[in-house]
Amino acid sequence: MRRFVADLHVHTVLSPCAAVEMTPRNIVWHAARHGIDIVAITDHNAGDNVPAALAAAKGTDVTVLPGMEVETKEEVHLVVLFEKLRQLFAWEEIVAAHRSGRMNDPDKFGAQFVVDAEDNLVAVKEEMLLASLTLSLKETCDKVNALGGLVIASHVDRPAYSVLSQLGFIPPGLALTAVEVSRRVARADAARRFPAIGGLPVVTASDAHMIEDFLAGPKVAFNLEEPTLAEIRQALYNENSRGVVL
């Protein structure tokens, strides 16, 4: 068992709001250099740059988790994470069928770049990713869990695009694994400041859109046997000697 530092919410150049320096290779390079053991790639409503991040991490000590930041039809942001790329691909098929169909305006919102592990441009995603899906909050949680994924409610302390800002509460029985707080709130203080969280585990992450934020933003550390999503799930619930240590 050892300590793994994780950032479970990181955007790449596929997200229109991310800086062009946020290529998968650059993220992995900085993670390796600064002792960030686990990085989840979580672009808005798409996962096209996850394969490049996985390829870039080969031969390093950095583990990349396939993920996505989903915006539900209630305009709630959720970080969804998977163990395997095939699970993310299955989830992407569902997401693709529930996007708005609107096209991106790169001059207004920013471009959406798909790149390879060497930073070469592969494609420019033209469909608008930074928009709500037609999937509800409950549908999203249920479908991700059915695929074996894990759902974390993004930045619940923020005044927009969080489950608490949009609904004011967390619906009973919602299949959330955890909630995330931003750098504005200490993880240990989250339950007191936001009682609606209830007994859900709390994590924090950088939600980085630029390298500076990735390096300086909050992280969470886990005691794990190995850097897998299955182990992280156990750690969030303090099972089998796994746990959150930071």
Side-chain angles (χ1 to χ4, degrees):
M1 198 81 68
R2 55 155 283 206
R3 178 178 180 269
F4 290 87
V5 175
D7 193 333
L8 301 180
H9 188 169
V10 180
H11 293 266
T12 77
V13 286
L14 181 58
S15 293
C17 41
V20 292
E21 64 186 0
M22 295 298 282
T23 65
R25 186 175 75 156
N26 202 28
I27 292 167
V28 169
W29 186 85
H30 279 89
R33 190 174 185 186
H34 294 273
I36 304 169
D37 305 297
I38 302 171
V39 178
I41 300 298
T42 55
D43 286 305
H44 292 290
N45 293 333
D48 301 59
N49 278 342
V50 172
L54 288 165
K58 285 183 178 176
T60 76
D61 292 329
V62 177
T63 297
V64 170
L65 293 177
M68 187 182 295
E69 185 170 32
V70 177
E71 182 175 329
T72 71
K73 72 178 183 182
E74 299 93 344
E75 297 186 335
V76 171
H77 284 195
L78 302 171
V79 167
V80 304
L81 304 176
F82 299 96
E83 195 83 78
K84 303 293 185 185
L85 196 54
R86 59 178 166 73
Q87 294 170 298
L88 177 66
F89 287 160
W91 171 243
E92 276 196 301
E93 289 185 11
I94 295 170
V95 169
H98 291 85
R99 290 201 190 103
S100 68
R102 287 190 290 160
M103 304 306 287
N104 185 39
D105 180 348
D107 293 331
K108 185 174 182 180
F109 300 108
Q112 305 169 152
F113 298 116
V114 180
V115 298
D116 65 17
E118 299 298 324
D119 289 355
N120 298 306
L121 179 64
V122 174
V124 176
K125 199 99 172 176
E126 296 185 350
E127 191 172 358
M128 181 64 183
L129 300 178
L130 197 58
S132 56
L133 304 177
T134 57
L135 283 169
S136 72
L137 176 62
K138 183 179 187 307
E139 288 171 328
T140 301
C141 291
D142 289 347
K143 290 179 184 295
V144 169
N145 276 276
L147 289 170
L150 176 157
V151 185
I152 300 173
S154 302
H155 39 67
V156 295
D157 54 301
R158 289 191 180 169
Y161 299 114
S162 80
V163 62
L164 297 184
S165 69
Q166 302 308 109
L167 303 184
F169 67 104
I170 296 177
L174 191 66
L176 285 176
T177 307
V179 300
E180 173 203 89
V181 291
S182 74
R183 69 187 66 200
R184 302 169 188 168
V185 176
R187 196 177 66 82
D189 203 28
R192 181 187 65 78
R193 291 185 57 181
F194 302 94
I197 291 173
L200 283 167
V202 179
V203 298
T204 186
S206 71
D207 191 7
H209 291 71
M210 57 183 64
I211 289 297
E212 181 181 0
D213 289 343
F214 176 53
L215 298 180
K219 310 287 184 294
V220 64
F222 298 105
N223 269 340
L224 307 172
E225 194 68 43
E226 55 185 359
T228 67
L229 196 65
E231 291 267 330
I232 290 173
R233 190 190 297 271
Q234 292 182 64
L236 289 170
Y237 287 91
N238 296 312
E239 297 174 347
N240 301 318
S241 302
R242 280 72 173 166
V244 182
V245 293
L246 179 66

